[in-house]
Structure formats: C-alpha cells, structure tokens
Amino acid sequence: MLRKNRVLLRLSQCSPGTAGGMPKEHISTSHEEDSLTDLLSLGGRTFASRLIVGTGKFSSPELMADALAASGAEMVTVALRRVDLDMPSKAITDFIDQRRYLILPNTSGAADAVEAVRLARLARAAGLPPWIKVEVIPDPRYLMPDPVETLKACEILVGEGFTVLPYIHADPVLAKRLEETGVAAVMPLAAPIGSGRGLKMEAAIAIIIEQATLPVIVDAGLGVPSHAAAAMEMGADAVLVNTAIATAANPVRMARAFMLGVEAGRAARQAGRSPELAVASASSPLTGFLRER
Amino acid sequence: MAFSDVFDTSLIHDAVERSVYARTGDVRDALAVGVQTLEAAAALCSPAAGAMLEEMAQRAHASTVERFGNTVALYAPLYLSNHCVCTCTYCGFSMGLDIKRKTLRIDEVIREARTLGQRGFRNILLVSAEHPKHVNAEYLAQCVAETKRIAQYVGLEVAAAETEDYRKYVAAGCDGVVLYQETYDPAIYAQHHLGGPKKSYRPRLDALERAARAGVRHLGIGALLGLADWRFEALALFAHARYLEKQCWRSQINISFPRINPSAGDFAPAQPVGDAQLVQLMCLFRIAFPTAGIVLSTREPAALRDALLPVGVTHMSAGSSTEPGGYAAPGNAGEQFQLEDKRDVDAMSQRVRELGYEPVFKDWAEMRSAPYPVAAP
C-alpha cells in the first residue's frame, strides 16, 4: 500500500492535470505493476529503485538527507574515510536512516588492493553492512581505477564473504574477469568521476551489458537525468549518481529529476524501442493499401 | 631527472615579461582552451587578466564545486619545535632571534594532539623549525605515529629531507608533506636564507619528488609571497606543479599562497602582494589545476578568508596556534608569526556553514599501518 501511494504521488507530482488526456489512474496502475515486478536483484536482495546515490559533496548533511529522500534511492554509498568512527554522533552515517537505505560503504582513498581490503574490513568492523564498493584509485587527478589492484582486492573480499561491487573503467574483459571472482555486480564508469560528461564510454559499456551475467551499474560521470535515462535505455541495471545531485543548484529537485530519468529509461528499455533507421520511415505508409488487398 | 634539472628561471622571467603585454583576447583564449602551457598561465597572471578577475573567479568557483562539492576540509597545525639552526630573514623562528625556544616532548605532542582531537580535528599538520639535534627524523617519525592515533590524516611541514627519512615518515603514517620553496628565484632565495641547511636552494626544490618516491600521498607546494615578484613566483609554481603532476602522478598536489605576516624579526616584504593579486593567483591555479587542493591558513584575516572560500579554497586551518605547545599550554614559547584569523574552530565551522559549505573534519582513513588491529574474519 505504501509503495502504491508513493507511485501515485510521484505521478501526480510530475503530471499536473492529466498527461496527454489519459486518465491518471490508468497510467499509475500500469506503472505500479511495472515497478512492483521489475525489481533489481543484487547480492541476494531486491531493490525497487535503480538509482544509487552517493553522499559526498553536499553542503550539509541535512540537505544530503533530503536529497536522498527525494531520489527514491534504497541504496546509498558512503566513503568510509568520511565516517568518524571515534565520533559517531557527528558521522555522516548518522544522517542516513538505515531502515530505509542500505549503506554501501566504499573504499574511496585506497590506492592499492591492500588498502582497499583494509578499508572494507574496517567498514565491517564498524558495524556497516558487509557490502563494499571497491574503489582502487592510484591517480588523484582523473581518479581512474586501477584494474589490476581492483581485481586483486575483489578476489580477497569475495573470499571474505563481502558482497562486492567493483568500480571499474569500462573494460569488457575486466568485467568478465571480475564476474569470475564472484562479485555481485560491475560498475563501469560513464566518464571521469564528477565530470558530468555523460556516456563517454558508451561503446564499451554496451559490450559489458551485452556480455554480462550480473547486474551492470553505470557509475560516475552522469551529469543530468537524460544521461541516466540513456544508460538505462542501453540496458544498464542501475546507475549511481553523486556529484550531479550534490552540486546542483537545488539538490533535492535534481535528486527527484534523476529518479524520474532512471524510471523513464528503465521503462523505455522494457517497452522495447523502435529501430533507429538511417532514412525516414512514415508512420502512415502511403502504399499500405497495396498489401491490404 | 629532477625538477632542478629542467627548471629554467630565464624562461620564467621571459614569460613574466611577455605577460605584461597579454591582451584580453589572450586571456579569453587561455580560459577557452585550458591552461596547459606556461604562455597560457602567463596570460592569466597578466594585468589584462587582472581586469577580468570576476570572470576568472566565477570560473574558479564553478570548477571547485565540480570537483570538491560544497565542502571545505578543516585542519590544524601542531607546532613541534621552534629550535632552529637556519637564519631566514622573514621567519620568527630564525636562529639569531631572542625568543623562548621549545621542542615538545612526545608526551607534550600527544597532549597537543589530544587537545586538537577533542576540538574535532582529524587532520593535523605537524610543523617544525629545523634543528638536526632537537628535531631529527626519528623524533618526527615518532610524532607522526603518536598523532596518527588521534588524527587519521597527518601531514608534515618540516625541514627538507632525504628519501630515506621520508620513508620513515611514511612508515609512521605520514600522509602528506608540505614544503614551500619560499621563493623560486635563486638570487632572492640567497638573500633571505643566510645560514643553515635551508640555505641550499636546490635540495629543497627537489625534496617533494623524494617524498613522493617514498610514498607520500599529498604534496604541498607554495611560495612565500612578498619576497619576489608575484608573477614570477606564480609561473615558477605553475611549472613546478605541472612537473610534479606528471612525474609524481600518484600524489595529490595541494597549493598554498602564504603571504608574509609580521613576526619577531620585524621583516618588511620587499614586494607585498595585494588582495586582488592573491585572488588572481588563486583563480589562475584553480583554473590550471582543477584537481589540486588549495589551502588557506589563518595567516589571512577572517573577512578575507570568508570571501576567498568560494573562489577556490578546499582546505582551511582553524583555531590555530603557531607556538609549540600553544593549544594545551599556551604562552611558553615564541610563535612563528602572528595570526590574523583568531576564530576558534566552532566559530569557524559555523561561519563555513553560513557560507553554504559543509566543514569536513575527517576525509581520510588510515589505510597502511594499523593504529588499532583489524583482523581478517
């Protein structure tokens, strides 16, 4: 019931009056059915939302909490290096309702496998869920992940029972190698972190999606909801967004916009797009009558 | 190869001279294509660019938010010692000066660090004057290790060292090294560094590379503004930062623009740098190095610090003391220089929030050595 109300609320918010003259109930019912059955299955859990939100760069923890709520996300990622284990009352995790959101700790700051593994263990020891987004980034400028060290870290952490989600360059072979280690998903980058440039790695991400046996979560570089929608239309299972929401002029509205973009892209993917043609194709063919005879 | 092998001051001087003739169009070109070359950097520190400061500041602000978000990291300096064997004209710790000298014992270092820890700091910069007997590498490594129990991020701003000593600091948990060249002009450097190991220009110039090779993750560079022409310092600093970015690609670069403040030596800067030039410098470096940290200390007055924050600042000190022991037991040693921004950390945090930024105390986790045991399950 709660879920239904939420869906109805969303639609009534996004379409004042009626959309295209169609009765509101009609849209919401079909949408509701979609969203009830179309769950993201990840690491043995299911999620109705396919938008994962990052918690960095917000101007205040209160604003972050509001943006998380507006995003409809059910999973949020937190850099362990930002969590003050000595001062729990001031910790960023204090502003994240863990009944509502699964916290996905990340190893931001780690420059090699040893450091990533250490951070993951610290996160678990601190009582955070045994989920870990592996980020191994030796390059502080472009923040490109190290494929070799990422693979090593994932092997160790899978072995230790973590649900592992590696952040990777859009490298199809690496994605397959990681699948073999037992990770829960792969998270290829669309463009450099925080750049907001959109699906710069589109061709490689398409190969990763085509070959995947695990969820593919497009992470990093999505700047606007249309980028997120495009990733979902390509067949991504989910997207992760942080900077584009946190540094928008109005992060709460942008969070909601991303929610809608992700939902639109997912719905379009499931609806099955019409083919892209190099030439025009009339919607009402002039010679259709010849075939009707 | 080291930076001193490729750094040619005559090229910098030439670029400074040409920058005087840069036109608005040159500045716009540099802003449009990005500031990769010395020529483009020269355009952005030109008088023509000075007239376009608002445009540059808007660019710098947008770039900072994109990379760092609406946050600013707060840190505190912890002065270990003012015993010094160097004679530097501008410094309040200079050897000949009659001030109360003190080197903190380890228990005093811990007391200082705890005091800072209680105030919320998780990023502490250990600062020391240069004295081979009182402040040797073993002492510094021990200070790092002890401070690391309280703060997750520990930086060092101490004498230039050899790779071997930097390795000791890293093994103890040192995350960053700050080492200002003071001035990149060797002749002016010689006029101000009259005695002690710091007198040697070249080993200092190459020290940060040694630190990076030893595994130091964050490199802090800067020039002490007021000694030489600020445009020369800006372009030399630009060349140094570009070099480090390429050669030490695993290390994050942080840049600071310290201006000379009054100290016990009553030193008057030969070429004082005004607020507008400081803003221009900050804009130039933010635009040229969008991923570099920009550090602003309490040397500058409160109102100016507040105004500079949105331009491009990513790290600020707060509630600082430049006197060894000055947090837990103030008044027992001479300070390095006078601070302008005397707000305590709570007032500073409050102001940062009012300005629309989140003050971040902890942005680092101990990843290498283990201050407390974390075992595999």
Side-chain angles (χ1 to χ4, degrees):
Chain A
M1 189 59 203
L2 197 69
R3 174 75 199 164
K4 186 179 171 185
N5 285 341
R6 191 147 73 97
V7 173
L8 284 169
L9 179 70
R10 278 187 203 173
L11 282 165
S12 60
Q13 280 170 348
C14 69
S15 55
T18 51
M22 229 184 279
K24 226 187 283 181
E25 283 83 347
H26 177 71
I27 303 176
S28 38
T29 307
S30 65
H31 184 101
E32 184 196 352
E33 280 166 7
D34 281 353
S35 59
L36 283 177
T37 53
D38 179 33
L39 300 175
L40 169 65
S41 181
L42 183 64
R45 290 179 61 147
T46 55
F47 300 87
S49 166
R50 290 171 180 271
L51 173 60
I52 304 168
V53 179
T55 53
K57 298 189 179 182
F58 286 93
S59 59
S60 73
E62 293 81 7
L63 184 62
M64 174 199 77
D66 289 347
L68 295 184
S71 75
E74 292 162 348
M75 190 181 340
V76 298
T77 186
V78 173
L80 185 75
R81 70 184 205 182
R82 284 286 309 274
V83 180
D84 195 339
L85 303 173
D86 300 333
M87 210 185 261
S89 65
K90 275 197 175 176
I92 193 167
T93 42
D94 211 46
F95 291 85
I96 301 168
D97 181 355
Q98 294 201 43
R99 289 163 302 180
R100 184 167 179 184
Y101 309 104
L102 174 70
I103 290 187
L104 173 62
N106 69 59
T107 64
S108 164
D112 60 30
V114 172
E115 294 178 0
V117 167
R118 196 184 136 70
L119 282 174
R121 290 175 185 165
L122 262 178
R124 180 150 71 179
L128 291 169
W131 288 54
I132 194 80
K133 181 185 169 208
V134 173
E135 292 184 23
V136 185
I137 298 177
D139 148 35
R141 282 182 69 202
Y142 287 101
L143 303 173
M144 289 292 160
D146 182 327
V148 180
E149 296 294 318
T150 301
L151 185 66
K152 277 191 218 164
C154 289
E155 283 169 346
I156 295 167
L157 292 170
V158 168
E160 293 184 6
F162 283 91
T163 299
V164 180
L165 292 88
Y167 168 64
I168 57 171
H169 209 289
D171 177 340
V173 173
L174 178 63
K176 295 308 282 183
R177 290 286 306 267
L178 283 162
E179 273 186 9
E180 290 166 2
T181 68
V183 299
V186 289
M187 307 183 76
L189 61 91
I193 295 181
S195 67
R197 291 164 67 187
L199 286 162
K200 292 293 169 200
M201 308 307 297
E202 184 174 1
I205 290 174
I207 298 171
I208 293 175
I209 291 171
E210 183 200 320
Q211 296 184 333
T213 59
L214 294 173
V216 176
I217 301 167
V218 173
D219 183 0
L222 302 177
V224 283
S226 57
H227 294 154
M232 298 305 292
E233 286 167 14
M234 282 176 70
D237 295 279
V239 299
L240 192 150
V241 180
N242 185 353
T243 301
I245 293 174
T247 68
N250 184 331
V252 176
R253 290 189 83 162
M254 190 56 90
R256 210 180 106 69
F258 266 98
M259 174 189 81
L260 297 171
V262 169
E263 287 182 357
R266 177 66 184 175
R269 173 71 179 185
Q270 292 196 302
R273 62 158 297 169
S274 67
E276 188 175 315
L277 301 173
V279 293
S281 168
S283 4
S284 308
L286 294 172
T287 57
F289 73 97
L290 292 173
R291 289 190 292 276
E292 278 163 18
R293 284 194 181 155
Chain B
M1 188 183 65
F3 183 58
S4 64
D5 296 326
V6 296
F7 180 57
D8 183 346
T9 52
S10 65
L11 289 180
I12 306 290
H13 282 298
D14 289 350
V16 170
E17 276 178 32
R18 283 197 302 277
S19 86
V20 176
Y21 302 104
R23 296 171 179 207
T24 306
D26 299 324
V27 181
R28 289 208 193 285
D29 285 352
L31 288 173
V33 295
V35 186
Q36 288 300 320
T37 62
L38 194 61
E39 283 311 307
L44 288 200
C45 64
S46 67
M52 297 164 64
L53 214 46
E54 180 58 27
E55 195 176 329
M56 282 173 62
Q58 294 292 346
R59 271 284 290 271
H61 168 72
S63 172
T64 309
V65 171
E66 181 187 316
R67 173 71 179 208
F68 297 93
N70 300 302
T71 66
V72 61
L74 296 188
Y75 74 98
L78 192 172
Y79 276 71
L80 300 172
S81 171
N82 59 7
H83 278 111
C84 202
V85 294
C86 298
T87 305
C88 308
T89 55
Y90 49 81
C91 182
F93 292 164
S94 189
M95 191 171 88
L97 293 175
D98 181 22
I99 59 165
K100 273 198 271 185
R101 303 280 174 174
K102 182 168 178 60
T103 298
L104 299 184
R105 296 185 313 268
I106 294 299
D107 63 295
E108 292 173 313
V109 175
I110 295 169
R111 193 171 58 167
E112 287 286 277
R114 280 197 185 135
T115 305
L116 289 173
Q118 280 156 10
R119 293 178 192 174
F121 288 105
R122 297 291 179 267
N123 177 339
I124 293 178
L125 177 66
L126 301 177
V127 187
S128 177
E130 194 162 341
H131 198 293
K133 201 175 96 202
H134 291 288
V135 188
N136 58 27
E138 283 65 32
Y139 169 80
L140 288 172
Q142 207 183 344
C143 291
V144 169
E146 293 298 340
T147 307
K148 199 79 189 189
R149 294 175 196 276
I150 292 143
Q152 282 77 20
Y153 183 98
V154 176
L156 274 178
E157 184 174 352
V158 299
E162 292 304 320
T163 312
E164 189 191 327
D165 287 341
Y166 283 125
R167 286 212 183 92
K168 288 178 194 161
Y169 305 156
V170 169
C174 170
D175 299 298
V177 165
V178 176
L179 192 76
Y180 302 144
Q181 186 60 28
E182 316 300 10
T183 172
Y184 284 89
D185 184 319
I188 295 176
Y189 189 94
Q191 289 166 21
H192 293 284
H193 302 93
L194 305 172
K198 193 170 171 180
K199 198 176 167 189
S200 305
Y201 170 93
R202 200 169 159 148
R204 190 172 185 86
L205 193 60
D206 296 331
L208 284 170
E209 286 166 67
R210 297 194 292 273
R213 241 176 278 136
V216 171
R217 202 63 74 73
H218 299 82
L219 307 176
I221 59 174
L224 185 61
L225 300 174
L227 298 178
D229 173 25
W230 71 272
R231 290 194 172 92
F232 174 85
E233 303 290 23
L235 295 182
L237 196 58
F238 172 87
H240 195 189
R242 273 278 175 267
Y243 173 91
L244 290 174
E245 219 174 46
K246 290 209 168 90
Q247 297 294 327
C248 311
W249 66 275
R250 288 174 187 271
S251 299
Q252 162 80 24
I253 293 168
N254 295 325
I255 305 170
S256 190
F257 309 102
R259 293 195 287 188
I260 291 171
N261 276 27
S263 71
D266 284 333
F267 177 80
Q271 309 200 49
V273 174
D275 292 352
Q277 281 101 44
L278 184 64
V279 172
Q280 193 171 349
L281 266 170
M282 197 174 278
C283 292
L284 157 61
F285 278 87
R286 169 51 71 230
I287 293 164
F289 301 94
T291 63
I294 290 186
V295 185
L296 187 64
S297 80
T298 51
R299 281 172 183 270
E300 299 294 347
L304 182 66
R305 294 223 304 163
D306 293 354
L308 289 174
L309 169 57
V311 176
V313 177
T314 59
H315 296 69
M316 289 174 117
S317 50
S320 303
S321 163
T322 70
E323 169 201 339
Y327 295 115
N332 290 311
E335 57 182 13
Q336 187 183 22
F337 53 84
Q338 288 171 21
L339 297 173
E340 291 286 341
D341 186 347
K342 297 190 170 72
R343 290 174 291 188
D344 69 16
V345 63
D346 291 333
M348 189 68 212
S349 304
Q350 179 56 33
R351 186 68 187 128
V352 165
R353 283 191 201 97
E354 284 164 15
L355 292 166
Y357 288 79
E358 191 197 354
V360 171
F361 287 89
K362 180 175 181 293
D363 186 27
W364 200 244
E366 179 46 43
M367 293 174 217
R368 286 189 272 212
S369 55
Y372 41 97
V374 180

